[in-house]
mmCIF file of all heavy atoms in Angstrom:
data_model
loop_
_atom_site.group_PDB
_atom_site.id
_atom_site.type_symbol
_atom_site.label_atom_id
_atom_site.label_comp_id
_atom_site.label_asym_id
_atom_site.label_seq_id
_atom_site.Cartn_x
_atom_site.Cartn_y
_atom_site.Cartn_z
ATOM 1 N N ALA X 215 105.275 57.359 145.927
ATOM 2 C CA ALA X 215 105.608 58.660 146.523
ATOM 3 C C ALA X 215 106.165 59.623 145.497
ATOM 4 O O ALA X 215 106.006 60.844 145.616
ATOM 5 C CB ALA X 215 106.604 58.478 147.660
ATOM 6 N N GLY X 216 106.811 59.070 144.473
ATOM 7 C CA GLY X 216 107.296 59.910 143.366
ATOM 8 C C GLY X 216 106.176 60.182 142.396
ATOM 9 O O GLY X 216 104.999 60.115 142.706
ATOM 10 N N MET X 217 106.539 60.470 141.181
ATOM 11 C CA MET X 217 105.542 60.863 140.183
ATOM 12 C C MET X 217 104.743 59.685 139.665
ATOM 13 O O MET X 217 103.662 59.837 139.160
ATOM 14 C CB MET X 217 106.215 61.578 139.003
ATOM 15 C CG MET X 217 106.599 62.982 139.295
ATOM 16 S SD MET X 217 105.167 64.014 139.631
ATOM 17 C CE MET X 217 105.917 65.645 139.717
ATOM 18 N N GLY X 218 105.336 58.454 139.751
ATOM 19 C CA GLY X 218 104.594 57.327 139.182
ATOM 20 C C GLY X 218 104.756 57.269 137.679
ATOM 21 O O GLY X 218 105.833 57.513 137.160
ATOM 22 N N ASN X 219 103.671 56.968 136.973
ATOM 23 C CA ASN X 219 103.776 56.803 135.521
ATOM 24 C C ASN X 219 103.704 58.150 134.790
ATOM 25 O O ASN X 219 103.552 59.207 135.385
ATOM 26 C CB ASN X 219 102.672 55.844 135.040
ATOM 27 C CG ASN X 219 101.300 56.347 135.397
ATOM 28 O OD1 ASN X 219 100.952 57.505 135.167
ATOM 29 N ND2 ASN X 219 100.470 55.481 135.959
ATOM 30 N N GLU X 220 103.825 58.068 133.472
ATOM 31 C CA GLU X 220 103.838 59.277 132.656
ATOM 32 C C GLU X 220 102.538 60.061 132.771
ATOM 33 O O GLU X 220 102.560 61.308 132.827
ATOM 34 C CB GLU X 220 104.075 58.893 131.187
ATOM 35 C CG GLU X 220 105.405 58.188 130.944
ATOM 36 C CD GLU X 220 105.485 57.610 129.545
ATOM 37 O OE1 GLU X 220 104.935 58.265 128.630
ATOM 38 O OE2 GLU X 220 106.091 56.553 129.365
ATOM 39 N N GLU X 221 101.436 59.340 132.819
ATOM 40 C CA GLU X 221 100.145 60.017 132.943
ATOM 41 C C GLU X 221 100.039 60.739 134.286
ATOM 42 O O GLU X 221 99.527 61.846 134.357
ATOM 43 C CB GLU X 221 99.033 58.961 132.796
ATOM 44 C CG GLU X 221 97.623 59.544 132.765
ATOM 45 C CD GLU X 221 97.004 59.642 134.148
ATOM 46 O OE1 GLU X 221 97.493 58.948 135.054
ATOM 47 O OE2 GLU X 221 96.031 60.414 134.321
ATOM 48 N N ARG X 222 100.543 60.106 135.346
ATOM 49 C CA ARG X 222 100.523 60.736 136.670
ATOM 50 C C ARG X 222 101.430 61.949 136.723
ATOM 51 O O ARG X 222 101.109 62.954 137.353
ATOM 52 C CB ARG X 222 100.949 59.694 137.704
ATOM 53 C CG ARG X 222 101.056 60.213 139.145
ATOM 54 C CD ARG X 222 99.762 60.825 139.627
ATOM 55 N NE ARG X 222 98.646 59.917 139.501
ATOM 56 C CZ ARG X 222 97.381 60.278 139.601
ATOM 57 N NH1 ARG X 222 97.065 61.541 139.795
ATOM 58 N NH2 ARG X 222 96.418 59.396 139.476
ATOM 59 N N LEU X 223 102.576 61.880 136.041
ATOM 60 C CA LEU X 223 103.468 63.033 135.955
ATOM 61 C C LEU X 223 102.767 64.221 135.327
ATOM 62 O O LEU X 223 102.814 65.342 135.822
ATOM 63 C CB LEU X 223 104.718 62.657 135.144
ATOM 64 C CG LEU X 223 105.662 63.817 134.773
ATOM 65 C CD1 LEU X 223 106.228 64.467 136.024
ATOM 66 C CD2 LEU X 223 106.787 63.312 133.879
ATOM 67 N N ALA X 224 102.095 63.981 134.201
ATOM 68 C CA ALA X 224 101.381 65.074 133.525
ATOM 69 C C ALA X 224 100.253 65.607 134.386
ATOM 70 O O ALA X 224 100.040 66.826 134.463
ATOM 71 C CB ALA X 224 100.830 64.566 132.176
ATOM 72 N N TYR X 225 99.547 64.714 135.069
ATOM 73 C CA TYR X 225 98.441 65.131 135.920
ATOM 74 C C TYR X 225 98.909 65.973 137.082
ATOM 75 O O TYR X 225 98.299 66.985 137.451
ATOM 76 C CB TYR X 225 97.682 63.895 136.427
ATOM 77 C CG TYR X 225 96.414 64.208 137.170
ATOM 78 C CD1 TYR X 225 95.198 64.265 136.529
ATOM 79 C CD2 TYR X 225 96.444 64.454 138.548
ATOM 80 C CE1 TYR X 225 94.025 64.552 137.209
ATOM 81 C CE2 TYR X 225 95.287 64.748 139.248
ATOM 82 C CZ TYR X 225 94.066 64.788 138.567
ATOM 83 O OH TYR X 225 92.920 65.102 139.253
ATOM 84 N N SER X 226 100.008 65.569 137.717
ATOM 85 C CA SER X 226 100.481 66.206 138.958
ATOM 86 C C SER X 226 101.169 67.540 138.704
ATOM 87 O O SER X 226 101.506 68.235 139.669
ATOM 88 C CB SER X 226 101.435 65.271 139.707
ATOM 89 O OG SER X 226 100.789 64.073 140.051
ATOM 90 N N THR X 227 101.435 67.894 137.464
ATOM 91 C CA THR X 227 102.108 69.151 137.168
ATOM 92 C C THR X 227 101.221 70.098 136.346
ATOM 93 O O THR X 227 101.727 71.031 135.739
ATOM 94 C CB THR X 227 103.417 68.877 136.399
ATOM 95 O OG1 THR X 227 103.135 68.084 135.228
ATOM 96 C CG2 THR X 227 104.407 68.118 137.274
ATOM 97 N N ARG X 228 99.914 69.874 136.382
ATOM 98 C CA ARG X 228 99.008 70.732 135.607
ATOM 99 C C ARG X 228 98.924 72.139 136.153
ATOM 100 O O ARG X 228 98.740 73.106 135.408
ATOM 101 C CB ARG X 228 97.592 70.125 135.597
ATOM 102 C CG ARG X 228 97.488 68.814 134.850
ATOM 103 C CD ARG X 228 96.083 68.245 135.011
ATOM 104 N NE ARG X 228 95.748 68.087 136.413
ATOM 105 C CZ ARG X 228 94.517 68.233 136.892
ATOM 106 N NH1 ARG X 228 93.538 68.569 136.097
ATOM 107 N NH2 ARG X 228 94.301 68.066 138.176
ATOM 108 N N PHE X 229 99.018 72.283 137.482
ATOM 109 C CA PHE X 229 98.919 73.583 138.141
ATOM 110 C C PHE X 229 100.203 73.848 138.933
ATOM 111 O O PHE X 229 100.899 72.890 139.295
ATOM 112 C CB PHE X 229 97.709 73.630 139.089
ATOM 113 C CG PHE X 229 96.440 73.080 138.511
ATOM 114 C CD1 PHE X 229 95.739 72.064 139.155
ATOM 115 C CD2 PHE X 229 95.924 73.576 137.319
ATOM 116 C CE1 PHE X 229 94.571 71.548 138.618
ATOM 117 C CE2 PHE X 229 94.753 73.072 136.785
ATOM 118 C CZ PHE X 229 94.068 72.058 137.422
ATOM 119 N N PRO X 230 100.512 75.104 139.253
ATOM 120 C CA PRO X 230 101.677 75.387 140.112
ATOM 121 C C PRO X 230 101.553 74.657 141.440
ATOM 122 O O PRO X 230 100.482 74.586 142.044
ATOM 123 C CB PRO X 230 101.601 76.898 140.309
ATOM 124 C CG PRO X 230 100.843 77.407 139.119
ATOM 125 C CD PRO X 230 99.844 76.324 138.788
ATOM 126 N N THR X 231 102.658 74.088 141.915
ATOM 127 C CA THR X 231 102.641 73.237 143.115
ATOM 128 C C THR X 231 101.991 73.871 144.338
ATOM 129 O O THR X 231 101.160 73.239 144.977
ATOM 130 C CB THR X 231 104.083 72.775 143.439
ATOM 131 O OG1 THR X 231 104.583 72.004 142.348
ATOM 132 C CG2 THR X 231 104.103 71.926 144.700
ATOM 133 N N PRO X 232 102.317 75.143 144.700
ATOM 134 C CA PRO X 232 101.749 75.679 145.923
ATOM 135 C C PRO X 232 100.227 75.789 145.910
ATOM 136 O O PRO X 232 99.594 75.707 146.984
ATOM 137 C CB PRO X 232 102.401 77.089 146.042
ATOM 138 C CG PRO X 232 103.628 76.976 145.223
ATOM 139 C CD PRO X 232 103.299 76.047 144.096
ATOM 140 N N ILE X 233 99.636 75.981 144.748
ATOM 141 C CA ILE X 233 98.181 76.141 144.675
ATOM 142 C C ILE X 233 97.491 74.963 144.015
ATOM 143 O O ILE X 233 96.318 75.033 143.679
ATOM 144 C CB ILE X 233 97.804 77.451 143.944
ATOM 145 C CG1 ILE X 233 98.269 77.417 142.482
ATOM 146 C CG2 ILE X 233 98.349 78.657 144.678
ATOM 147 C CD1 ILE X 233 97.745 78.558 141.643
ATOM 148 N N PHE X 234 98.261 73.874 143.792
ATOM 149 C CA PHE X 234 97.686 72.741 143.065
ATOM 150 C C PHE X 234 96.393 72.264 143.705
ATOM 151 O O PHE X 234 95.360 72.143 143.035
ATOM 152 C CB PHE X 234 98.689 71.593 143.034
ATOM 153 C CG PHE X 234 98.204 70.386 142.255
ATOM 154 C CD1 PHE X 234 98.471 70.269 140.902
ATOM 155 C CD2 PHE X 234 97.465 69.385 142.843
ATOM 156 C CE1 PHE X 234 98.017 69.173 140.162
ATOM 157 C CE2 PHE X 234 97.011 68.280 142.144
ATOM 158 C CZ PHE X 234 97.289 68.191 140.792
ATOM 159 N N TYR X 235 96.418 72.030 145.004
ATOM 160 C CA TYR X 235 95.227 71.466 145.657
ATOM 161 C C TYR X 235 94.127 72.498 145.882
ATOM 162 O O TYR X 235 92.951 72.116 146.041
ATOM 163 C CB TYR X 235 95.608 70.778 146.965
ATOM 164 C CG TYR X 235 96.171 69.398 146.769
ATOM 165 C CD1 TYR X 235 97.469 69.065 147.154
ATOM 166 C CD2 TYR X 235 95.393 68.411 146.153
ATOM 167 C CE1 TYR X 235 97.961 67.790 146.986
ATOM 168 C CE2 TYR X 235 95.901 67.134 145.969
ATOM 169 C CZ TYR X 235 97.189 66.823 146.364
ATOM 170 O OH TYR X 235 97.678 65.558 146.173
ATOM 171 N N LEU X 236 94.467 73.772 145.886
ATOM 172 C CA LEU X 236 93.409 74.804 145.938
ATOM 173 C C LEU X 236 92.508 74.714 144.717
ATOM 174 O O LEU X 236 91.303 74.938 144.791
ATOM 175 C CB LEU X 236 94.042 76.191 146.056
ATOM 176 C CG LEU X 236 94.669 76.553 147.403
ATOM 177 C CD1 LEU X 236 95.285 77.939 147.338
ATOM 178 C CD2 LEU X 236 93.650 76.465 148.547
ATOM 179 N N ILE X 237 93.127 74.372 143.586
ATOM 180 C CA ILE X 237 92.349 74.196 142.331
ATOM 181 C C ILE X 237 91.777 72.792 142.260
ATOM 182 O O ILE X 237 90.604 72.580 141.911
ATOM 183 C CB ILE X 237 93.234 74.490 141.118
ATOM 184 C CG1 ILE X 237 93.789 75.912 141.185
ATOM 185 C CG2 ILE X 237 92.442 74.290 139.807
ATOM 186 C CD1 ILE X 237 94.855 76.203 140.142
ATOM 187 N N GLU X 238 92.604 71.815 142.616
ATOM 188 C CA GLU X 238 92.246 70.406 142.475
ATOM 189 C C GLU X 238 91.001 70.041 143.280
ATOM 190 O O GLU X 238 90.202 69.201 142.864
ATOM 191 C CB GLU X 238 93.421 69.537 142.894
ATOM 192 C CG GLU X 238 93.217 68.036 142.789
ATOM 193 C CD GLU X 238 93.404 67.515 141.387
ATOM 194 O OE1 GLU X 238 93.574 68.321 140.468
ATOM 195 O OE2 GLU X 238 93.385 66.298 141.218
ATOM 196 N N MET X 239 90.834 70.646 144.453
ATOM 197 C CA MET X 239 89.706 70.282 145.317
ATOM 198 C C MET X 239 88.364 70.671 144.715
ATOM 199 O O MET X 239 87.342 70.052 145.052
ATOM 200 C CB MET X 239 89.853 70.941 146.683
ATOM 201 C CG MET X 239 90.782 70.197 147.619
ATOM 202 S SD MET X 239 90.746 70.844 149.306
ATOM 203 C CE MET X 239 91.780 72.301 149.145
ATOM 204 N N THR X 240 88.361 71.643 143.836
ATOM 205 C CA THR X 240 87.071 72.086 143.271
ATOM 206 C C THR X 240 86.914 71.782 141.785
ATOM 207 O O THR X 240 85.818 71.665 141.296
ATOM 208 C CB THR X 240 86.879 73.601 143.513
ATOM 209 O OG1 THR X 240 85.556 73.954 143.132
ATOM 210 C CG2 THR X 240 87.861 74.437 142.721
ATOM 211 N N GLN X 241 88.032 71.611 141.041
ATOM 212 C CA GLN X 241 87.896 71.319 139.617
ATOM 213 C C GLN X 241 89.079 70.523 139.074
ATOM 214 O O GLN X 241 89.879 71.026 138.301
ATOM 215 C CB GLN X 241 87.731 72.611 138.790
ATOM 216 C CG GLN X 241 87.275 72.318 137.381
ATOM 217 C CD GLN X 241 86.693 73.539 136.701
ATOM 218 O OE1 GLN X 241 86.567 74.592 137.300
ATOM 219 N NE2 GLN X 241 86.349 73.409 135.435
ATOM 220 N N PRO X 242 89.169 69.240 139.433
ATOM 221 C CA PRO X 242 90.220 68.409 138.858
ATOM 222 C C PRO X 242 89.963 68.034 137.415
ATOM 223 O O PRO X 242 90.904 67.765 136.660
ATOM 224 C CB PRO X 242 90.225 67.166 139.764
ATOM 225 C CG PRO X 242 88.808 67.099 140.273
ATOM 226 C CD PRO X 242 88.342 68.518 140.384
ATOM 227 N N TYR X 243 88.693 67.994 137.029
ATOM 228 C CA TYR X 243 88.299 67.697 135.660
ATOM 229 C C TYR X 243 87.379 68.827 135.173
ATOM 230 O O TYR X 243 86.743 69.512 135.996
ATOM 231 C CB TYR X 243 87.541 66.363 135.589
ATOM 232 C CG TYR X 243 88.142 65.264 136.445
ATOM 233 C CD1 TYR X 243 87.447 64.720 137.527
ATOM 234 C CD2 TYR X 243 89.438 64.782 136.196
ATOM 235 C CE1 TYR X 243 87.995 63.725 138.309
ATOM 236 C CE2 TYR X 243 89.987 63.804 136.996
ATOM 237 C CZ TYR X 243 89.266 63.269 138.049
ATOM 238 O OH TYR X 243 89.806 62.303 138.829
ATOM 239 N N PRO X 244 87.245 69.013 133.870
ATOM 240 C CA PRO X 244 86.447 70.143 133.370
ATOM 241 C C PRO X 244 85.014 70.182 133.890
ATOM 242 O O PRO X 244 84.481 71.263 134.184
ATOM 243 C CB PRO X 244 86.483 69.924 131.848
ATOM 244 C CG PRO X 244 87.746 69.158 131.594
ATOM 245 C CD PRO X 244 87.906 68.263 132.794
ATOM 246 N N HIS X 245 84.377 69.038 134.016
ATOM 247 C CA HIS X 245 82.959 69.026 134.394
ATOM 248 C C HIS X 245 82.707 68.244 135.678
ATOM 249 O O HIS X 245 81.568 67.809 135.929
ATOM 250 C CB HIS X 245 82.135 68.418 133.262
ATOM 251 C CG HIS X 245 82.345 69.090 131.943
ATOM 252 N ND1 HIS X 245 81.992 70.398 131.718
ATOM 253 C CD2 HIS X 245 82.905 68.643 130.782
ATOM 254 C CE1 HIS X 245 82.297 70.737 130.486
ATOM 255 N NE2 HIS X 245 82.858 69.687 129.888
ATOM 256 N N ARG X 246 83.731 68.060 136.528
ATOM 257 C CA ARG X 246 83.561 67.341 137.788
ATOM 258 C C ARG X 246 84.141 68.177 138.924
ATOM 259 O O ARG X 246 85.252 68.712 138.816
ATOM 260 C CB ARG X 246 84.267 65.976 137.723
ATOM 261 C CG ARG X 246 83.642 65.022 136.697
ATOM 262 C CD ARG X 246 82.282 64.538 137.145
ATOM 263 N NE ARG X 246 81.618 63.765 136.092
ATOM 264 C CZ ARG X 246 80.732 64.261 135.254
ATOM 265 N NH1 ARG X 246 80.377 65.526 135.318
ATOM 266 N NH2 ARG X 246 80.177 63.482 134.324
ATOM 267 N N HIS X 247 83.382 68.292 140.020
ATOM 268 C CA HIS X 247 83.763 69.167 141.110
ATOM 269 C C HIS X 247 83.651 68.416 142.435
ATOM 270 O O HIS X 247 82.516 68.260 142.948
ATOM 271 C CB HIS X 247 82.872 70.401 141.134
ATOM 272 C CG HIS X 247 82.768 71.094 139.800
ATOM 273 N ND1 HIS X 247 83.764 71.894 139.312
ATOM 274 C CD2 HIS X 247 81.803 71.048 138.861
ATOM 275 C CE1 HIS X 247 83.412 72.363 138.115
ATOM 276 N NE2 HIS X 247 82.219 71.841 137.832
ATOM 277 N N PRO X 248 84.754 67.936 143.019
ATOM 278 C CA PRO X 248 84.678 67.263 144.326
ATOM 279 C C PRO X 248 84.002 68.144 145.387
ATOM 280 O O PRO X 248 83.254 67.644 146.235
ATOM 281 C CB PRO X 248 86.138 66.990 144.669
ATOM 282 C CG PRO X 248 86.816 66.882 143.338
ATOM 283 C CD PRO X 248 86.112 67.867 142.459
ATOM 284 N N ILE X 249 84.289 69.439 145.360
ATOM 285 C CA ILE X 249 83.561 70.421 146.176
ATOM 286 C C ILE X 249 83.074 71.506 145.231
ATOM 287 O O ILE X 249 83.894 72.105 144.501
ATOM 288 C CB ILE X 249 84.452 71.034 147.268
ATOM 289 C CG1 ILE X 249 85.103 69.969 148.137
ATOM 290 C CG2 ILE X 249 83.635 71.981 148.146
ATOM 291 C CD1 ILE X 249 86.054 70.515 149.177
ATOM 292 N N VAL X 250 81.777 71.736 145.166
ATOM 293 C CA VAL X 250 81.268 72.741 144.223
ATOM 294 C C VAL X 250 81.739 74.116 144.649
ATOM 295 O O VAL X 250 81.962 74.396 145.839
ATOM 296 C CB VAL X 250 79.715 72.694 144.118
ATOM 297 C CG1 VAL X 250 79.278 71.370 143.531
ATOM 298 C CG2 VAL X 250 79.082 72.948 145.473
ATOM 299 N N PHE X 251 81.859 75.010 143.693
ATOM 300 C CA PHE X 251 82.493 76.306 143.923
ATOM 301 C C PHE X 251 81.822 77.142 145.015
ATOM 302 O O PHE X 251 82.518 77.725 145.855
ATOM 303 C CB PHE X 251 82.574 77.080 142.611
ATOM 304 C CG PHE X 251 83.504 78.240 142.653
ATOM 305 C CD1 PHE X 251 84.890 78.033 142.789
ATOM 306 C CD2 PHE X 251 83.033 79.541 142.553
ATOM 307 C CE1 PHE X 251 85.759 79.107 142.833
ATOM 308 C CE2 PHE X 251 83.908 80.622 142.620
ATOM 309 C CZ PHE X 251 85.277 80.404 142.757
ATOM 310 N N PRO X 252 80.498 77.248 145.058
ATOM 311 C CA PRO X 252 79.875 78.042 146.111
ATOM 312 C C PRO X 252 80.218 77.554 147.528
ATOM 313 O O PRO X 252 80.538 78.345 148.417
ATOM 314 C CB PRO X 252 78.372 77.943 145.823
ATOM 315 C CG PRO X 252 78.280 77.604 144.396
ATOM 316 C CD PRO X 252 79.469 76.745 144.110
#
Side-chain angles (χ1 to χ4, degrees):
M217 283 296 188
N219 58 48
E220 299 170 34
E221 186 269 341
R222 177 56 55 194
L223 170 62
Y225 187 92
S226 300
T227 55
R228 294 175 303 147
F229 314 125
T231 298
I233 63 170
F234 182 91
Y235 279 119
L236 287 178
I237 302 171
E238 181 81 352
M239 279 189 281
T240 189
Q241 192 162 356
Y243 319 116
H245 306 295
R246 295 289 173 263
H247 310 283
I249 305 176
V250 295
F251 196 66

